[in-house]
Amino acid sequence: MTRREFLKTLSRLTVAGGLVWLTARLAGNNSRGASRPADVCSGDGVCRRCPAANRCGHPTAISFREAGK
């Protein structure tokens, strides 16, 4: 294997690894609120102050969103 082939292979593997990492990260963020409704509340139980209240799957946050409609 020449130096040029090595560098090409290394760059391709780096790009592929980055795409896999990005895909996994994006897929994990999209399903967090719906798949784990019992997440630990980061707003101390007060949904009004919580920045994640619109996408949170916690029962209290769901109730808060429904009450606001």
Side-chain angles (χ1 to χ4, degrees):
M1 177 181 283
T2 65
R3 181 176 181 204
R4 183 179 181 150
E5 289 172 350
F6 172 75
L7 292 175
K8 278 175 71 174
T9 302
L10 182 65
S11 63
R12 286 178 181 164
L13 288 174
T14 302
V15 169
L19 288 174
V20 168
W21 176 81
L22 182 63
T23 302
R25 182 160 169 104
L26 290 175
N29 285 343
N30 289 338
S31 64
R32 271 197 190 137
S35 67
R36 294 190 295 166
D39 279 340
V40 177
C41 184
S42 62
D44 296 328
V46 182
C47 296
R48 187 176 323 230
R49 295 186 306 205
C50 183
N54 290 333
R55 64 183 185 276
C56 183
H58 196 272
T60 307
I62 294 170
S63 176
F64 175 72
R65 286 194 302 268
E66 291 295 320
K69 287 184 178 178

